[in-house]
Amino acid sequence: MLSKARVNAAGSELELHWADGAQARFHAMWLRDNALDDKTRSAGNGQRLVTILDIPAATKISAAEIVGGTLRVTFTPENKSVTFPADWLHNHRYDRKPSDAIAWTSPAITRWTGADMQANVPRARLSDMQQNRDTLAHWLGAVERYGFAVVEGVPTTSGALCDIVKTFGYVRETNYGRWFEVKAEVNPSNLAYTNLGLQAHTDNPYRDPVPTLQILSCLENTVDGGESTVVDAFAVVAALQAENPKAVELLSGFPARYEYAGSNGVRLRAKRPMIELGPDGELLAIRFNNRSAAPTEDVPFEAMASWYEAYRRLAELIEDKRFEVSFKLAPGEAFIVDNTRILHARTAFSGHGSRWLQGCYADKDGLLSTLASLVETQSPKAAE
Amino acid sequence: MLSKARVNAAGSELELHWADGAQARFHAMWLRDNALDDKTRSAGNGQRLVTILDIPAATKISAAEIVGGTLRVTFTPENKSVTFPADWLHNHRYDRKPSDAIAWTSPAITRWTGADMQANVPRARLSDMQQNRDTLAHWLGAVERYGFAVVEGVPTTSGALCDIVKTFGYVRETNYGRWFEVKAEVNPSNLAYTNLGLQAHTDNPYRDPVPTLQILSCLENTVDGGESTVVDAFAVVAALQAENPKAVELLSGFPARYEYAGSNGVRLRAKRPMIELGPDGELLAIRFNNRSAAPTEDVPFEAMASWYEAYRRLAELIEDKRFEVSFKLAPGEAFIVDNTRILHARTAFSGHGSRWLQGCYADKDGLLSTLASLVETQSPKAAE
């Protein structure tokens, strides 16, 4: 509920006070641009019907009045009046001190270590995810919050992992196909197709945009070893920042390079930092993959030794067992990782059995969109 | 050809001189990490077989010797000798002054205005692209350099635009489908499906990752109006920077927000700056779309008025006719845009005819990979 509205700066600004004690200033231009009336926004699909150039540069507020739970604002020179819900203004206020921290993470994310998650791996059965909206919302919410989750009850038929993607979004097809085999091969085009252990990594850092989700599904697994592990790289980066903020500055402040040219007709290359921050310092993504890291060329000579020290320390923390959750996939089990955040690894394997996994990629925007839509329309019981 | 190699800093650094006068320093750690021998890199697929933690932190150079066109380096404590081609070292040297400019663009890109491109729109026939590697390489090269190109001879059958994508990569399927109809509708879920003009924009800024390529293909076009225009936003950003560098700093320095919730089950949201720079200042992407711009919440109150002035000036430049290339698609024609760089627009249309376009998304990593592979294996004649 609004308690006070005052027009300041000759109509350029508005100062609002809410009954809960919050207060915030807004600019006339911001309010006009974000007006909610049906001449400014399509009532049908919510899209804005005007461009910034349709709004006079000289826009000011000529009047502002609290009317019940809303604020009525009149703009000159258009002489246009619009209404904003008090709660909408409260939720969208921007008059607050921005964080000057680097590598902070969104409140939607809970960073974790092995101790937090080893006994609490989020799991659901595929058939429940397909049939029960609350189960699906819960599982998708875990992927948003923790960056990984397990699926059980996946048919052990080729390509069935795409059914997991269908519950929330769309497969990202690449040169590896809509899905791909992860089996030991004699002349592998990729080291993933051997029985070697693989250091914790994100997939395809040589791609731009990288696939933001990966699913690995198990069809057979009777070898010795071949266990899967996952690591929350956002927790690792937070630990690195706590012990040496300069290391995070170095790894986020210069691009790294990645390359994959293991198959005919494929020359994938990308130039992006190992730790990607948004302009406001938000930790957005990690790219970490020893196999496809190309020579670093964008770090000045004077900074290269320190950059390598930071890289080494990041790798040490990534291999620190305290960050690791491990499990051995059984046939019919799959796991999903947020490939911008969660590193995955496997231990070497041997023995007379077979290990047959399939992998596929998808994107997070579809997953988060489906989740947001489910949460909006969720049954009250599940939302408790 | 190398003319001199000197080990410095007690074996931590190497100083190289080439016959062409170039010189550069390298760190022992960088050289060891990027060694090209078959214990460090898989001879089959080029992937690195060791991690940074397999390389001793105390690595130094104990000897360096020019042998013909190569450099032979011995590392302690591993007592390991490897050989680098002189040209490889020349091409990968990093001992140079980094740019302190913001919003610079890669040499692979040529920024353009309407005067440059209106009479030089890159074009190829789909059948030639499918049958002739040099034609395809030429067309893909134009997409890399100019960010857009036209395709002729596309079958006017539904979904045929996916055949364009097949020449270089993979369709990015989204909630709009593998491809989607762009036709005027009575109750449109998106303003694209009306006869309104659309301001120059990038598609789907509310998606993360955004689709980095878009194709629009024409099946029918007998209306008055409905012309297509494209604008090189990288040229526009360069112009904005030339007249007001602070404006580029503001639009790249704070995230904007985008949202689309026009269909059931879809709540797409992204938080990314309008102008995206890499950590080294490289201009990587623009997101510009009045329809799906959500309220800006991440610009501090003190900077918001200036941010809006920068946004307005960017919009004015985008609408400046000097940046525009325009054409009217005929049935059987399509165009592709780099959706991280090129804005596209359409004029309003009316009349008794019909306008039926189809659109689809794809990604640039596949296109650039196919291009790089074609160029590597191109016939000498075409490479001239």
Side-chain angles (χ1 to χ4, degrees):
Chain A
M1 186 64 94
L2 284 164
S3 58
K4 183 175 161 192
R6 190 166 73 184
V7 177
N8 291 338
S12 295
E13 301 173 14
L14 182 69
E15 182 186 318
L16 295 180
H17 298 245
W18 285 264
D20 69 359
Q23 62 181 75
R25 295 165 295 171
F26 292 85
H27 292 88
M29 184 61 70
W30 188 99
L31 290 165
R32 175 63 192 90
D33 187 35
N34 293 304
L36 301 165
D37 65 292
D38 65 4
K39 295 285 192 297
T40 304
R41 289 261 179 196
S42 162
N45 56 43
Q47 290 184 290
R48 190 184 280 95
L49 295 160
V50 301
T51 78
I52 188 68
L53 301 181
D54 293 325
I55 300 173
T59 292
K60 308 255 191 243
I61 298 164
S62 57
E65 179 186 11
I66 298 165
V67 185
T70 71
L71 180 78
R72 184 176 169 82
V73 183
T74 304
F75 299 102
T76 59
E78 292 178 276
N79 194 26
K80 179 183 176 73
S81 295
V82 300
T83 297
F84 296 94
D87 286 353
W88 188 94
L89 290 163
H90 193 283
N91 293 340
H92 289 84
R93 65 197 195 279
Y94 56 89
D95 184 9
R96 44 190 158 72
K97 198 172 155 50
S99 168
D100 56 5
I102 68 166
W104 60 271
T105 51
S106 151
I109 281 172
T110 300
R111 298 190 298 258
W112 50 263
T113 62
D116 302 322
M117 293 300 286
Q118 183 66 55
N120 300 301
V121 172
R123 288 175 179 266
R125 285 192 71 77
L126 178 57
S127 56
D128 292 343
M129 289 163 57
Q130 290 166 329
Q131 290 157 24
N132 186 318
R133 292 164 56 88
D134 293 339
T135 302
L136 181 59
H138 192 77
W139 188 85
L140 297 176
V143 179
E144 180 182 45
R145 180 154 300 283
Y146 304 111
F148 83 108
V150 167
V151 188
E152 299 168 347
V154 183
T156 53
T157 50
S158 186
L161 75 172
C162 297
D163 292 344
I164 303 169
V165 179
K166 275 188 201 151
T167 66
F168 62 77
Y170 305 90
V171 167
R172 170 97 76 93
E173 189 175 356
T174 69
N175 52 294
Y176 299 116
R178 278 180 67 77
W179 73 88
F180 48 89
E181 306 290 350
V182 185
K183 278 181 176 177
E185 293 176 2
V186 178
N187 289 310
S189 62
N190 193 302
L191 295 174
Y193 314 149
T194 64
N195 66 348
L196 297 174
L198 299 177
Q199 186 192 32
H201 62 280
T202 59
D203 258 44
N204 293 16
Y206 43 74
R207 208 180 287 289
D208 193 357
V210 296
T212 48
L213 293 172
Q214 177 172 20
I215 290 176
L216 282 166
S217 179
C218 178
L219 289 90
E220 296 174 6
N221 201 1
T222 55
V223 295
D224 294 332
E227 295 194 349
S228 302
T229 61
V230 288
V231 171
D232 181 2
F234 283 10
V236 171
V237 170
L240 181 61
Q241 177 156 279
E243 71 176 39
N244 184 3
K246 182 75 186 161
V248 175
E249 273 180 45
L250 284 160
L251 297 176
S252 62
F254 299 106
R257 303 239 184 174
Y258 302 92
E259 182 165 0
Y260 175 76
S263 305
N264 275 344
V266 177
R267 296 288 179 276
L268 288 159
R269 295 178 190 126
K271 174 192 169 198
R272 290 275 183 171
M274 280 198 197
I275 297 174
E276 183 181 351
L277 305 180
D280 57 349
E282 183 178 356
L283 177 52
L284 296 178
I286 187 151
R287 288 170 185 80
F288 189 84
N289 191 316
N290 68 300
R291 287 167 288 145
S292 51
T296 303
E297 297 178 18
D298 306 285
V299 176
F301 182 85
E302 290 66 25
M304 186 66 87
S306 306
W307 186 90
Y308 258 102
E309 283 166 25
Y311 173 29
R312 176 178 296 273
R313 184 60 190 146
L314 177 67
E316 285 170 351
L317 287 169
I318 284 169
E319 299 224 342
D320 185 332
K321 295 288 181 196
R322 83 185 141 110
F323 288 108
E324 178 182 298
V325 165
S326 75
F327 45 86
K328 185 163 181 172
L329 285 183
E333 289 185 335
F335 71 101
I336 188 170
V337 289
D338 176 343
N339 191 46
T340 68
R341 169 184 173 196
I342 304 295
L343 309 173
H344 62 286
R346 73 151 185 247
T347 58
F349 58 90
S350 63
H352 297 294
S354 65
R355 185 177 192 269
W356 179 17
L357 266 56
Q358 293 189 328
C360 81
Y361 300 117
D363 279 305
K364 232 165 60 170
D365 55 273
L367 187 149
L368 296 176
S369 168
T370 301
L371 173 61
S373 169
L374 285 170
V375 167
E376 262 187 43
T377 57
Q378 207 168 25
S379 64
K381 180 165 178 296
E384 269 168 17
Chain B
M1 186 63 94
L2 284 164
S3 58
K4 184 175 161 191
R6 192 166 72 184
V7 177
N8 291 338
S12 295
E13 300 173 15
L14 182 68
E15 180 187 320
L16 295 179
H17 299 246
W18 285 264
D20 69 359
Q23 63 179 74
R25 294 166 295 173
F26 293 85
H27 292 88
M29 184 60 71
W30 188 98
L31 290 165
R32 175 63 192 91
D33 186 36
N34 293 303
L36 301 165
D37 65 292
D38 65 5
K39 295 283 191 297
T40 304
R41 289 263 180 195
S42 162
N45 57 44
Q47 291 184 291
R48 191 184 280 95
L49 295 159
V50 301
T51 79
I52 188 69
L53 302 181
D54 293 325
I55 300 173
T59 292
K60 307 256 191 242
I61 298 164
S62 56
E65 178 186 13
I66 298 165
V67 185
T70 71
L71 179 78
R72 184 176 169 82
V73 183
T74 305
F75 299 102
T76 59
E78 292 178 277
N79 194 28
K80 178 182 176 73
S81 294
V82 300
T83 297
F84 296 94
D87 287 352
W88 188 95
L89 290 163
H90 193 282
N91 292 340
H92 289 85
R93 64 197 196 278
Y94 57 89
D95 185 9
R96 43 189 159 72
K97 196 172 156 52
S99 168
D100 55 5
I102 66 165
W104 60 271
T105 51
S106 151
I109 281 173
T110 300
R111 298 190 298 259
W112 52 262
T113 63
D116 303 323
M117 292 300 286
Q118 183 66 56
N120 301 301
V121 171
R123 288 174 179 268
R125 286 192 71 77
L126 178 57
S127 57
D128 292 344
M129 289 163 57
Q130 290 166 328
Q131 290 157 25
N132 186 316
R133 291 165 56 88
D134 294 339
T135 303
L136 181 59
H138 191 79
W139 187 86
L140 297 177
V143 179
E144 179 182 46
R145 181 155 299 283
Y146 304 110
F148 83 108
V150 167
V151 188
E152 299 168 348
V154 183
T156 53
T157 49
S158 187
L161 75 172
C162 298
D163 292 344
I164 303 169
V165 179
K166 274 187 201 152
T167 65
F168 62 77
Y170 305 90
V171 167
R172 171 98 76 95
E173 188 174 357
T174 69
N175 51 295
Y176 299 116
R178 279 180 66 77
W179 72 88
F180 48 89
E181 306 289 351
V182 185
K183 277 182 177 177
E185 293 176 3
V186 178
N187 289 311
S189 62
N190 193 302
L191 295 174
Y193 313 151
T194 64
N195 66 348
L196 298 174
L198 298 177
Q199 187 192 33
H201 62 279
T202 59
D203 258 44
N204 292 14
Y206 43 76
R207 208 179 286 288
D208 193 358
V210 295
T212 48
L213 293 171
Q214 176 172 21
I215 291 176
L216 282 165
S217 180
C218 178
L219 289 91
E220 296 174 5
N221 201 0
T222 55
V223 295
D224 295 331
E227 295 194 350
S228 302
T229 61
V230 289
V231 171
D232 181 2
F234 283 10
V236 171
V237 170
L240 181 61
Q241 177 155 280
E243 71 175 41
N244 184 2
K246 183 75 184 162
V248 176
E249 273 180 43
L250 284 160
L251 297 176
S252 62
F254 299 106
R257 303 240 183 173
Y258 302 92
E259 182 164 1
Y260 174 75
S263 305
N264 275 344
V266 177
R267 296 289 180 274
L268 288 159
R269 295 179 190 125
K271 173 192 169 196
R272 289 277 183 170
M274 280 198 197
I275 298 173
E276 182 181 353
L277 305 180
D280 57 349
E282 183 177 357
L283 177 53
L284 295 179
I286 187 151
R287 288 168 185 81
F288 190 83
N289 191 317
N290 68 298
R291 287 167 290 145
S292 50
T296 303
E297 296 178 18
D298 307 286
V299 176
F301 182 84
E302 289 67 25
M304 186 66 87
S306 306
W307 186 89
Y308 257 102
E309 283 166 25
Y311 172 30
R312 176 179 296 273
R313 185 60 189 145
L314 177 67
E316 285 170 350
L317 287 168
I318 284 169
E319 299 224 342
D320 184 332
K321 295 287 181 196
R322 82 185 141 111
F323 288 108
E324 178 182 297
V325 166
S326 75
F327 44 85
K328 184 162 181 172
L329 285 183
E333 290 185 333
F335 71 102
I336 188 170
V337 288
D338 176 342
N339 191 47
T340 68
R341 170 184 173 196
I342 303 296
L343 309 174
H344 63 287
R346 72 152 186 246
T347 57
F349 59 90
S350 62
H352 297 293
S354 65
R355 185 177 191 270
W356 179 18
L357 266 56
Q358 293 188 329
C360 81
Y361 300 117
D363 279 306
K364 233 164 60 170
D365 56 272
L367 187 150
L368 296 175
S369 169
T370 301
L371 172 61
S373 170
L374 285 169
V375 167
E376 263 187 43
T377 57
Q378 206 167 28
S379 64
K381 181 166 175 295
E384 270 169 17

